[in-house]
Amino acid sequence: MDHVRFDYVFPSHQVDVTHERYGIDHNRCVLCARCVRVCDEVEGAHTWDIAGRGAQAHVITDLNQPWGQAKSCTACGKCVQACPTGAIFRRGVTVGEMERERWRWSSSSRAREKQQWIR
């Protein structure tokens, strides 16, 4: 292949750093929906969702509110651990410096099943 006759489509998305501990770079997101699943199935908060269809699809929080204004977010960090591309990141830490903490998943799942959460 020596040329491409169609224009490349690289939409420029915003980076949301309104949350006090975390941020999301929508340009890195591959729409795998792991953050949506872990927030719903493991944490039980259902903060994340996917809005739009096709090329306009993107990850949103609390009906398209900025992440810092999301009332349902528990700031647990499970979405950060689940993100395979580093699109959801801990503020002040580069993607290369991130460490996966898989122990959080099993301990929090067991605690949720036993209803040990203090709210």
Side-chain angles (χ1 to χ4, degrees), residues 86-103:
I88 304 174
F89 55 91
R90 194 174 280 113
R91 288 180 66 176
V93 178
T94 64
V95 176
E97 295 173 336
M98 286 177 51
E99 294 180 12
R100 302 290 180 188
E101 299 168 350
R102 301 291 183 200
W103 58 270

Side-chain angles (χ1 to χ4, degrees), residues 27-39:
N27 296 303
R28 294 182 69 112
C29 182
V30 294
L31 296 172
C32 67
R34 288 182 182 183
C35 56
V36 176
R37 291 191 62 201
V38 74
C39 190

Side-chain angles (χ1 to χ4, degrees), residues 38-82:
V38 74
C39 190
D40 183 37
E41 297 173 11
V42 178
E43 182 59 22
H46 197 76
T47 301
W48 296 99
D49 210 346
I50 296 181
R53 293 173 55 178
Q56 287 77 32
H58 60 285
V59 177
I60 62 169
T61 55
D62 277 357
L63 298 175
N64 213 11
Q65 297 294 316
W67 193 4
Q69 296 175 4
K71 302 287 185 202
S72 64
C73 182
T74 60
C76 65
K78 291 182 185 79
C79 53
V80 177
Q81 297 297 317

Side-chain angles (χ1 to χ4, degrees), residues 7-19:
D7 292 333
Y8 288 105
V9 180
F10 294 114
S12 178
H13 298 292
Q14 298 292 325
V15 177
D16 183 3
V17 289
T18 57
H19 194 280

